[in-house]
Amino acid sequence: MVFQSLALLSDAAHMLTDVVALAIALAAIRIGERPADTLRTFGYRRFEILAATFNAVLLFLVAGYIFYEGVLRLFDPEPVGSIGMLIVASLGLGINLISMRLLASGVAASLNVKGAYLEVWADMLGSVGVIGGALLIMATGWTWVDPVVAIGIGLWVLPRTWVLLKNTTHILLEGVPKGLALDAVRATIAAVPGVAAVHDLHLWGISSDDVNGSVHVSVMDADAEIVRRRVLEVMQADHGIEHATVQVETGADGDPSGPGHGDDPHR
Amino acid sequence: MGQGHDHGTDAMNDGRLAAAIAVNVLLTLAQIIGGVVSGSLSLIADALHNLNDAASLALALFARKIGRRPADKLMTFGYGRAEVVAALINLTTLIIVGLYLIYEAVNRFLDPQPIDGWIVIWVAGIALVIDIATAVLVYAQSKNSLNIKAAFLHNVSDAMASVGVIAAGLLILFYDLYVADLIITLVISAYVLWQGFSLLPRTIRLLMGAMPDDLEYDRIVAAVQAVPGVRALHHVHVWSLDEHHRSLEAHIVPQVDTLEAFQAVKASVRTVLKTEFSIDHATLEPCLSADMDSAPGAVKAHASGGGGAHRGHDHGHEHQHGSDHGHNDHRDHDR
């Protein structure tokens, strides 16, 4: 604020959202570890996905705000104190690099950590952009560099945020987890000896690293109990579905789980 | 999930939402043109703000349309939750905007800017008219949909902000009362934050798949246990699919150990679930030879009748054991 640099101000706002994002990610990990209870019968792991969604929305808004301010500044450029920009941005860069090192290990495993990591990463890039912008302004006196850098950072962050939001929304909508195909799982179950028909197959994840399944299996000329166990076994062994409910029944059609479904998964 | 909806009403409601979006987009364009022609930055700023409104309404409409799609191979429970996710996004935005308003008001108070004159009041007046028109179009639908309600709230907060700008602008122009801006903005922010935070818990609970309350879980377990032919019940999961639909899965030990007998029991359980708890989606796994352990493939400690822990992943050695050896099966805890 003292140095009147938008790029710097946006960097500072970003830092603040970083702290919030990291705090939320950490809290979500803690809450996600709680065991299932009678209120949340699948446990609390879903909370991490909500935290990641929140962080994605936050990033969107921050990027949107930087755009907004950047456009206004392009119309109405303001003087920039480039030395101050340089010092503060260098400090920010150092802090961001440290945070990135700390978070890097958890990124592959958790969407929640990935969200927080993305924030810090965007920040790091922001600091680099501000430093570059400050040097350019010092050398040339072009104040329009400042909003252009800010808008560039926003443009860089947005597509990544979109991907993160897409992934979390998929889980929140209880979509079939990544890497699994409904038809392949159906085929595996149908191949179990004694299985006459498979319908009402559902696959979904509570968080980014687990799979739940439920399915109806019609049994013909076989011991229902053996078929049920075998189905559970192949679901875990072939597709890693650790938590499944299998309704075995007589007759080729069986009874559906309920109305209101499309044709495909309930064939 | 389609059923029970009148498609004619749906189309009309979508039309109203679309009209609201169109009005906001038109205003945005008009303000940008006016802003560029007159060189007023406050017009352009308000235009971008209105675009934000249009975006929040567009998200709500988009989610409604997506939410009606039937289940497919990707979303096996259907797309109903899209509306809840949209509500989450709009509420999060609302809360952040509320906080940002406070930040800006404090900034303006510490470093008062001369008001751009009457143009600010005119701009806010036009925005207010548009906001009211939008609110009228959307209000009727906001009552039974979290999604539309969140978008509606966004709109109400904007209308209030416009009133605030007009009131504060007049007070500053006539009496130099800069503190009016701060106070009015703080009051509006407080309202926005309060509304946002009061809707958020319900949205989060839905997306976490939670029950309305603990008692209901126990009531469901008790009711199913009371169905004739049911000997025991365990591994019970109940969760919300969307605002109006719930799903259940459970293991049932029937009194008679045959699949044919279980068919009848299953039908009665389904009826109880549907009529007493409006749960119309259920997967019921029969445990026929209940004294045996369960299949090795499904080993995991479950939240059983009383709601136990659910974290015990105990796999990795099951295949050496073969299928006649089970281990730490949850079924044992129930008997």
Side-chain angles (χ1 to χ4, degrees), chain B residues 1 16 20 24 31 50 77-78 120 146 161 165 174 179 204 217 223 230 269 283 309 316-317:
Chain B
M1 300 198 152
R16 287 178 151 227
N24 279 283
Q31 283 183 331
N50 265 303
F77 291 104
V120 175
L146 214 49
V165 168
F174 288 124
V179 73
I204 291 178
Y217 182 89
V230 173
V269 170
T283 306
H317 61 291

Side-chain angles (χ1 to χ4, degrees), chain B residues 55-70:
Chain B
S56 122
L57 287 166
L59 178 65
L61 177 63
F62 179 64
R64 276 192 73 147
K65 296 222 167 196
I66 296 267
R68 283 194 209 114
R69 283 195 203 160

